[in-house]
Amino acid sequence: MPSLTRAEATARAATVTVTGYAVDLDLTGGGDTFRSRTVLTFTATEGATTFVELEPERLLSATLNGTPVDASALADQRLALTGLAATNELVVEGEMRYSNTGEGLHRSIDPADGRTYLYAHMFLDGARRIFPCFDQPDLKAPVTLAVTAPDDWIVAANGEQTGEAKDGRWTFATTEPLATYFVSLIAGPYHVCRDSHDGIPLALYARQALAEHLDAQAEEIFTVTKQCLDRYHEIFDTRYPFGHYGQAFVSEFNFGAMENPGIVVFRDEFIYRSAVTEGELEGRAMVIAHEMAHQWFGDLVTMAWWDDLWLNESFAEYLGTRITAEATKYTGTWTTFAMNRKAWGLRADQRPSTHPVAPEEVDDTDLALLNFDGISYAKGAAVLRQLVAYVGDKAFLAGLNEHFTAHAYGNATLADLLAAVSRASGRDLGAWAEQWLRSAQVNTLRAEVTRADDGTYAQVTLVQTAPDAYPTLRPHKLGLGLYDHGTDGTVTLRRRVEVDVDPGADGGRTVISDLTGEPAADLLLVNDGDLTYAKVRLDPASAEAVPQLLPLLDDSLARAVLWSAMLDAVIDAERPVAELVTLVLAALPVEREVVIVEDVLRMTRGLVDRYPTPETRPAALEMLAQACDRLIAVAEPGGSIRLAAARALIGTTTDTVRLRGWLDGENVPEGLEIDTDLRWLIVYRLAILGAAGPEDIDAQYEADRSPFGEQAAARCRAAIPTAEAKARAWDFVINDPDASNRILEATAQGFWQPEHLALVAPYAPRYFAEMPGMLERRGGMSGERIATMAYPSVVVAESTRELAAGLLAAGDTSSILRRVVVDGDDDVRRALLARGLS
């Protein structure tokens, strides 16, 4: 299908206005297809020509204003419509194909019990797989849905159910105007939990095999949902606008969640079946709050085109973090944001593929898909935090409420939102938006410190720099924290100085005159409180003191800022990975915040896979395993940190006897249950180390016949270090168009292992030769994810970069593969630089 261009969308929006979709689906037939009948009504410029997106397996009939549309009018998944009247009715009937890619109407069969489950995922341009539509965000319309399904199924959708389902027939109320990519439904023998709050019906859905777990966790999920609804109602003048609020947890979902009005869809890994940490529970709460924010940002007021994606994702990311902290028991979400989400944004923003938060042009939908990244989400949220600091929270919220009132159930742009906040704050945000939203890449803030002989600061200067290719300097409102190491062994904040960095001041140099004559602190923390979005570098004396002071800091957010700065310096090859591993061994075992433990171990483990040389990697891995052992020894039995440390130890140790012992219940740390998910982690590590084979994997899958077990088994099989296993896994990833998205992703994840370098290195050239064909057979989100996970990032060699350059030089490389390769090549480049420090 040709990607919809902005020019085409603009022309079509000038030609037609959609007045409604009436969609009738029959899901009772056998085979790989379902029936779809749609009545699409719209007004148009008389005599004009346009098209709808439509991808049937077989077009049964199409009539426009009672006149048959010839089948030849359907080409490249577009149905041409000619000779339009002022008022039009298009009626289309077709057989549509179920999906196995997480797009369109996705069908999965639960291996636990053989039951079939469906969910619709229209994002980004998948509605054509279910019904004919004008598939662009600014052509919103009410949707009326009816579904015929097997008698024992449950169906839920955007609209509220009208009456009782009879003989498998489900009907739903007409919705408020929706963008087509928000239209959704679930269908199958789902287990449901119901509740209500403040007049809003609530429901939770999951597979029958997860019924026990959903029942056990429903109170927690409902509580978070109600608390977030209450807080949004406190800050927004417009109440939740879509009637009921269903949340469905479904198999093989591509995203973490999708904000469909009335029926938010989540990946069902969020219904936990094994022990989880407080960090994971907090993460689920943040996703719930994030998707709820979308009900206003995206659903009620929708971007006019994909260049304003930030109006959806940046706001949902910011508010999801904020509202979780303000409304629920998970009050430390800004620490999580600093440690995890913001790091994602910083990494994406430094890649060659960087782009502004709000780019001026996104030419087509293929390019739009690529902007669903750490920039649009995490950088945008961090920038919004700066905006709140700049204009004040009261003015910020007043501007948002004016924005909702002006554009409810319609569309809006960057200019619309900024105008509302400007009016509320009395500040012209034009220059601010150019610097923060229209300009790509990230600034670095470094502290330059001169000390007087008496131990006071003679001068403290914040130096702001920018990459040569992206020279924008920005205004920053931030804190400088002065931390002292007391004689009692504690580290306390003496003072936090609020600083306004002027981008035009003295070539990026801002002298902090307020600190002149102040006794020098043991640690001068740049961006204390994490208010701004920038890379942070400490002065040399503060950097030298970090290993001693970091474990003693009481403020988890300050610790997160320091850990993030250290990790970023290693990624930039400014500091060797050995220094990071040494810091982890020294400081992490006394960390009290589980999200910091989880993210430091996860990120360090990823760096240890690629940044040391093959000769030095085993020692780095062993030190990381020692840090995990120390954490286990001091952590509370049964607590989150012990669980997080145990997981990381399983992934780093080479002690196969110990791992086998844990599987058998021997010498397991107190309070740690070797449950289903931990058993899979152990089997996976044993497979990587050559200590578990197909029979071990099959035995574990027999004990866990679930979608999770099916995916874990696929990952383990791809990790077996034999030529036969690698060949089988590679052929599966490249050549099987019928396999489900998540099984292919799991296989790609398991394939590349630094322990197997000699075995997998020959597949690096095959990636660049064969991945274009895979993407021709399986595009979209699923193809992008598989291509990313299958990238040969562990083959850290100039030859890998040369192969990447060759593919990028080809004129016919798809935009999706080009983006994946550009980013993957940057990872290899950085790893090569880091190895130069070893």
Side-chain angles (χ1 to χ4, degrees):
M1 171 186 171
S3 180
L4 180 68
T5 68
R6 181 171 190 164
E8 289 173 323
T10 300
R12 188 161 64 175
T15 302
V16 305
T17 300
V18 191
T19 55
Y21 293 93
V23 180
D24 195 328
L25 305 178
D26 185 348
L27 310 178
T28 59
D32 294 329
T33 62
F34 60 96
R35 293 285 292 262
S36 171
R37 182 182 190 275
T38 301
V39 179
L40 168 54
T41 56
F42 60 100
T43 62
T45 304
E46 287 195 67
T49 297
T50 190
F51 63 90
V52 294
E53 284 86 354
L54 177 63
E55 186 181 352
E57 181 72 6
R58 186 161 69 99
L59 180 62
L60 300 176
S61 66
T63 61
L64 177 63
N65 300 326
T67 300
V69 178
D70 192 88
S72 64
L74 179 63
D76 292 330
Q77 299 163 19
R78 293 178 174 185
L79 182 66
L81 304 176
T82 60
L84 298 178
T87 302
N88 301 273
E89 179 182 84
L90 174 69
V91 181
V92 175
E93 295 190 53
E95 291 182 358
M96 318 300 284
R97 177 169 288 274
Y98 290 114
S99 163
N100 62 1
T101 64
E103 300 159 300
L105 192 57
H106 183 91
R107 181 177 63 177
S108 64
I109 298 175
D110 190 342
D113 54 23
R115 290 184 169 107
T116 298
Y117 294 90
L118 309 177
Y119 66 83
H121 186 53
M122 310 294 193
F123 176 89
L124 175 142
D125 55 3
R128 70 183 190 275
R129 300 168 183 258
I130 299 178
F131 62 95
C133 58
F134 296 107
D135 202 0
Q136 59 190 74
D138 60 340
L139 288 178
K140 299 171 74 170
V143 177
T144 307
L145 178 68
V147 177
T148 303
D151 291 342
D152 61 339
W153 281 19
I154 284 177
V155 182
N158 303 105
E160 296 189 71
Q161 185 181 342
T162 57
E164 292 294 322
K166 294 181 180 179
D167 299 323
R169 183 69 174 170
W170 297 72
T171 57
F172 300 91
T174 301
T175 69
E176 298 287 355
L178 300 180
T180 45
Y181 76 96
F182 291 135
V183 178
S184 190
L185 72 142
I186 63 167
Y190 283 94
H191 178 68
V192 60
C193 298
R194 299 190 188 278
D195 202 342
S196 63
H197 181 67
D198 195 17
I200 301 170
L202 306 177
L204 306 174
Y205 305 88
R207 293 179 286 112
Q208 288 289 339
L210 290 175
E212 178 184 355
H213 302 294
L214 180 63
D215 288 344
Q217 297 166 51
E219 182 178 357
E220 155 91 356
I221 296 171
F222 277 136
T223 296
V224 169
T225 301
K226 295 171 186 178
Q227 290 169 332
C228 292
L229 277 169
D230 287 345
R231 184 61 182 141
Y232 282 118
H233 287 163
E234 288 172 1
I235 65 174
F236 294 156
D237 295 339
T238 304
R239 282 177 54 83
Y240 170 68
F242 296 106
H244 67 144
Y245 198 78
Q247 297 175 98
F249 298 85
V250 304
S251 287
E252 301 179 344
F253 197 60
N254 279 327
F255 288 178
M258 180 66 193
E259 63 269 20
N260 312 306
I263 186 67
V264 179
V265 174
F266 299 77
R267 59 171 52 205
D268 61 5
E269 286 91 337
F270 282 120
I271 301 302
Y272 304 118
R273 71 210 184 116
S274 294
V276 293
T277 67
E278 282 293 308
E280 289 167 298
L281 291 172
E282 177 196 85
R284 180 172 67 185
M286 291 171 69
V287 175
I288 290 171
H290 175 113
E291 303 308 323
M292 194 178 292
H294 274 308
Q295 307 307 309
W296 288 266
F297 284 100
D299 297 4
L300 176 66
V301 181
T302 307
M303 60 193 170
W305 180 247
W306 299 103
D307 51 358
D308 277 324
L309 171 65
W310 81 290
L311 290 173
N312 287 15
E313 298 304 345
S314 299
F315 279 86
E317 183 83 6
Y318 167 76
L319 287 164
T321 305
R322 171 178 171 167
I323 297 304
T324 305
E326 293 177 351
T328 77
K329 66 181 180 181
Y330 303 107
T331 58
T333 54
W334 286 116
T335 295
T336 303
F337 182 80
M339 193 71 239
N340 180 310
R341 305 297 288 179
K342 191 173 171 187
W344 176 38
L346 287 168
R347 185 70 196 92
D349 206 16
Q350 295 173 77
R351 293 185 185 275
S353 60
T354 187
H355 58 85
V357 172
E360 295 201 41
E361 288 293 336
V362 174
D363 290 339
D364 58 41
T365 52
D366 278 354
L367 293 174
L369 176 63
L370 300 178
N371 285 350
F372 281 78
D373 59 12
I375 297 170
S376 297
Y377 285 73
K379 178 182 179 179
V383 169
L384 287 175
R385 205 172 187 206
Q386 264 293 283
L387 178 60
V388 173
Y390 185 62
V391 303
D393 196 54
K394 183 177 180 181
F396 176 71
L397 293 177
L400 300 191
N401 281 309
E402 178 187 326
H403 182 69
F404 297 147
T405 299
H407 303 286
Y409 304 108
N411 300 86
T413 65
L414 165 71
D416 296 325
L417 187 281
L418 291 180
V421 177
S422 293
R423 284 189 292 270
S425 65
R427 305 190 75 156
D428 183 355
L429 296 176
W432 184 93
E434 283 298 318
Q435 293 163 322
W436 278 110
L437 299 175
R438 293 297 200 196
S439 301
Q441 257 280 359
V442 60
N443 301 119
T444 300
L445 296 174
R446 298 178 184 269
E448 284 189 1
V449 173
T450 304
R451 299 191 184 203
D453 293 339
D454 62 358
T456 62
Y457 288 124
Q459 183 169 289
V460 174
T461 304
L462 273 184
V463 181
Q464 179 180 188
T465 57
D468 291 341
Y470 299 92
T472 301
L473 299 181
R474 299 175 175 89
H476 297 266
K477 182 178 282 291
L478 70 150
L480 289 179
L482 281 68
Y483 289 87
D484 296 322
H485 192 181
T487 56
D488 60 354
T490 62
V491 175
T492 58
L493 175 64
R494 181 206 316 166
R495 182 185 176 197
R496 179 179 291 145
V497 180
E498 301 299 325
V499 177
D500 288 299
V501 174
D502 182 352
D506 192 21
R509 301 176 65 85
T510 302
V511 176
I512 315 302
S513 56
D514 195 33
L515 287 180
T516 301
E518 177 90 15
D522 294 313
L523 169 67
L524 180 64
L525 180 56
V526 179
N527 199 25
D528 194 25
D530 200 40
L531 281 182
T532 198
Y533 173 83
K535 293 156 63 73
V536 168
R537 298 294 183 262
L538 306 180
D539 66 278
S542 294
E544 186 177 345
V546 166
Q548 292 76 41
L549 303 186
L550 176 58
L552 304 174
L553 278 169
D554 285 335
D555 186 346
S556 66
L557 184 53
R559 299 196 303 274
V561 171
L562 283 172
W563 276 114
S564 297
M566 178 61 179
L567 286 159
D568 186 67
V570 174
I571 291 170
D572 281 358
E574 293 180 14
R575 291 183 176 275
V577 71
E579 184 177 320
L580 170 62
V581 174
T582 300
L583 180 63
V584 169
L585 182 61
L588 200 63
V590 296
E591 176 57 53
R592 289 88 73 196
E593 189 68 43
V594 67
V595 295
I596 294 179
V597 169
E598 290 173 314
D599 284 319
V600 169
L601 289 174
R602 175 183 56 82
M603 295 173 72
T604 304
R605 180 67 171 83
L607 293 171
V608 165
D609 275 351
R610 294 176 291 111
Y611 278 36
T613 64
E615 295 75 23
T616 60
R617 181 178 178 272
L621 201 61
E622 174 58 27
M623 290 180 69
L624 201 54
Q626 289 178 26
C628 296
D629 257 328
R630 291 185 184 180
L631 269 163
I632 291 172
V634 300
E636 178 186 357
S640 291
I641 289 179
R642 178 163 285 193
L643 176 57
R647 290 171 174 169
L649 177 65
I650 291 167
T652 54
T653 186
T654 57
D655 188 344
T656 59
V657 173
R658 184 181 189 185
L659 292 176
R660 280 284 181 189
W662 280 18
L663 281 180
D664 296 334
E666 298 172 1
N667 300 315
V668 177
E670 181 185 355
L672 183 69
E673 178 187 354
I674 306 301
D675 54 27
T676 301
D677 288 352
L678 276 183
R679 293 186 73 85
W680 273 121
L681 284 179
I682 294 171
V683 172
Y684 182 47
R685 185 61 180 162
L686 288 171
I688 291 169
L689 296 173
E695 65 283 352
D696 300 286
I697 299 166
D698 291 345
Q700 182 58 28
Y701 180 48
E702 282 303 312
D704 179 28
R705 293 193 69 85
S706 69
F708 310 129
E710 191 174 34
Q711 294 158 34
R715 184 164 49 249
C716 290
R717 293 186 185 106
I720 294 174
T722 66
E724 295 78 13
K726 296 300 182 184
R728 187 163 47 247
W730 186 258
D731 180 67
F732 180 61
V733 168
I734 296 297
N735 296 317
D736 194 330
D738 298 322
S740 82
N741 54 329
R742 298 295 289 280
I743 299 298
L744 287 170
E745 290 168 20
T747 303
Q749 283 178 319
F751 183 87
W752 297 101
Q753 304 293 337
E755 288 88 350
H756 307 163
L757 194 57
L759 196 59
V760 299
Y763 285 89
R766 293 186 62 177
Y767 176 94
F768 297 98
E770 298 174 26
M771 195 53 63
M774 188 282 290
L775 281 170
E776 286 181 7
R777 293 183 289 275
R778 180 184 293 262
M781 289 177 288
S782 177
E784 180 192 14
R785 288 173 63 86
I786 293 166
T788 299
M789 292 174 184
Y791 196 84
S793 58
V794 301
V795 187
V796 180
E798 289 294 346
S799 59
T800 307
R801 298 206 65 205
E802 291 167 3
L803 289 164
L807 185 142
L808 293 172
D812 58 349
T813 303
S814 72
S815 58
I816 289 176
L817 185 56
R818 182 173 295 275
R819 171 69 173 268
V820 170
V821 172
V822 164
D823 290 348
D825 177 62
D826 189 55
D827 286 340
V828 174
R829 177 189 67 83
R830 287 173 177 272
L832 286 167
L833 286 174
R835 290 186 177 185
L837 299 179
S838 299

